[in-house]
Amino acid sequence: MARIVVTGGAGFIGYHVTRALLARGDEATVIDDFSDGPYPRAEKVRNEGDLLSAFSGARVVRACVTDRAAMAPLIDGAEAVVHLAGLAGVRPSFGDPVRYARVNVEGTAVVQELARQRGVERFLFASSSSIYGNATPLPAREDAPAVVPESPYAASKRSAELVASAICRNAPEMRCAALRFFTVYGARQRPEMAITRFMRAALAGRPVTIFGDGSMRRDFTYVDDIVRGVLAALDASAPPGFRAYNLGSGAPIDLRGLVEAIGAAAGVALQVERAPVPLGDVDATFADITRARTELAWTPRVSLHEGLLAVREWVTDHP
Ligand SMILES: NC(=O)c1ccc[n+]([C@@H]2O[C@H](COP(=O)([O-])OP(=O)(O)OC[C@H]3O[C@@H](n4cnc5c(N)ncnc54)[C@H](O)[C@@H]3O)[C@@H](O)[C@H]2O)c1
């Protein structure tokens, strides 16, 4: 049993990671500020309630990751920190780039530096496929340059990585992994994300809106696969230092294909409306997952169809 701090544990991915840690017997403390963005706080309160009622040992603390004084005692005694707190979302990041930079860059530096000062050996944090922008050759490899972010969100995630890798130079014992998640979906997905919105529309008989001509591709990755990747990175006997890992399905699909797949899972033919491609959205994401396969013995297992059936069930049960 290890004592693990999970920041952002009331959010979508954080909920699933915390649940998996508690289920395998680890002691997990969630730190989350329950902020009202980019989606309503009520969803996070629901996740918190579900964790607390399922696991008597679950602990949830309300704190902001940029608040060093509040965070310091919470990191004391931790054996590992899984830092998933952050402001997600490409499009909303244009509306408040300063807040994105503060939470995602400064917040990550605050948490990692507190962990370093306390000799915490394992620090994992959420990065993103968006850091690759449109300039990186696909499938994107972790060692490819990622220097042309298309949004403040992407820039904040890449900046957080650069700061983290520099902090590691002063932390010879720390094993630090930047986990580059590729469009994660599943039960409890952030409600503004495409798959959950499309599934709700499909089941309600409403049209869905797709951007551009529908040729935009995304490497959709089921949340259970992401959880296994996070645990694999946590448990890996990696050498100290900074290392980035792509966690993606490695099987991108375009938006037209996604709409068809959602229609198949929902058992309806979706009506499609079109809108211009929003600022900041990249043309395609496509993970090269060789590194995670070889170093973490991780491989995604859940097909898009299986994952969409699980989303349908969740959406049906949570109208
Ligand atoms: N979902 C995806 O497809 C995806 C893809 C790539 C990267 N990521 C990253 O993974 C992480 C989790 O994403 P998610 O989809 O679960 O998003 P989410 O918004 O559901 O979870 C993030 C959590 O962090 C919390 N948080 C935000 N600001 C905070 C602060 N200042 N202090 C403490 N807590 C704070 C939020 O309240 C929320 O519960 C984020 O860092 C996100 O950027 C997600």
Side-chain angles (χ1 to χ4, degrees), residues 211 213-218 253-255 277-278 281-284:
F211 299 127
D213 63 1
S215 62
M216 191 188 269
R217 284 184 301 154
R218 288 290 175 275
I253 182 171
D254 67 21
L255 291 183
V277 176
D281 274 31
V282 298
D283 301 334

Side-chain angles (χ1 to χ4, degrees), residues 9 19 37 48 68-69 150 152 190 291:
R19 200 185 158 87
E48 175 194 34
R68 197 185 173 284
E150 295 289 328
R190 301 199 322 268
R291 182 181 286 182

Side-chain angles (χ1 to χ4, degrees), residues 287-298:
D288 182 319
I289 52 176
T290 310
R291 182 181 286 182
R293 275 189 205 280
T294 52
E295 296 181 17
L296 304 179
W298 175 81

Side-chain angles (χ1 to χ4, degrees), residues 99-311:
R99 186 172 170 215
Y100 271 73
R102 190 164 58 240
V103 173
N104 293 352
V105 186
E106 185 184 330
T108 301
V110 165
V111 178
Q112 186 188 4
E113 179 60 4
L114 286 169
R116 185 195 71 78
Q117 288 165 352
R118 281 153 185 75
V120 178
E121 286 189 7
R122 199 145 298 232
F123 179 77
L124 313 181
F125 70 101
S127 184
S128 166
S129 56
S130 64
I131 64 152
Y132 291 117
N134 286 322
T136 306
L138 300 180
R141 289 167 49 103
E142 292 88 343
D143 53 8
V147 290
V148 194
E150 295 289 328
S151 65
Y153 170 71
S156 74
K157 288 292 180 182
R158 184 66 182 132
S159 304
E161 286 190 354
L162 295 173
V163 174
S165 67
I167 289 176
C168 282
R169 294 182 182 278
N170 191 30
E173 304 298 324
M174 182 178 265
R175 293 161 170 77
C176 174
L179 303 174
R180 296 176 176 170
F181 300 148
F182 282 65
T183 321
V184 188
Y185 73 100
R188 300 169 198 265
Q189 188 191 35
R190 301 199 322 268
E192 82 283 7
M193 291 184 77
I195 287 186
T196 293
R197 275 194 298 110
F198 287 8
M199 186 63 79
R200 286 199 188 284
L203 295 176
R206 285 185 272 110
V208 298
T209 303
I210 64 171
F211 299 127
D213 63 1
S215 62
M216 191 188 269
R217 284 184 301 154
R218 288 290 175 275
D219 198 337
F220 295 104
T221 311
Y222 190 62
V223 68
D224 289 0
D225 283 330
I226 292 292
V227 169
R228 283 189 308 98
V230 173
L231 298 193
L234 197 58
D235 298 339
S237 54
F242 175 89
R243 196 89 172 133
Y245 293 98
N246 289 339
L247 294 181
S249 69
I253 182 171
D254 67 21
L255 291 183
R256 286 183 298 247
L258 176 68
V259 165
E260 270 176 37
I262 289 180
V268 297
L270 267 79
Q271 297 159 44
V272 171
E273 292 175 351
R274 295 192 189 281
V277 176
L279 189 65
D281 274 31
V282 298
D283 301 334
T285 62
F286 182 0
D288 182 319
I289 52 176
T290 310
R291 182 181 286 182
R293 275 189 205 280
T294 52
E295 296 181 17
L296 304 179
W298 175 81
T299 186
R301 291 186 191 149
V302 182
S303 71
L304 183 64
H305 186 64
E306 290 167 323
L308 291 177
L309 291 178
V311 172

Side-chain angles (χ1 to χ4, degrees), residues 8 10-14 31-35 37-39 44 63-66 84-88 103 126-129 153 157 181-184 190 193:
F12 161 46
I13 299 172
I31 302 172
D32 202 295
D33 74 346
F34 290 80
S35 48
Y39 62 93
K44 303 171 190 182
C64 174
V65 290
T66 61
L84 304 175
L87 287 176
V103 173
S127 184
S128 166
S129 56
Y153 170 71
K157 288 292 180 182
F181 300 148
F182 282 65
T183 321
V184 188
R190 301 199 322 268
M193 291 184 77

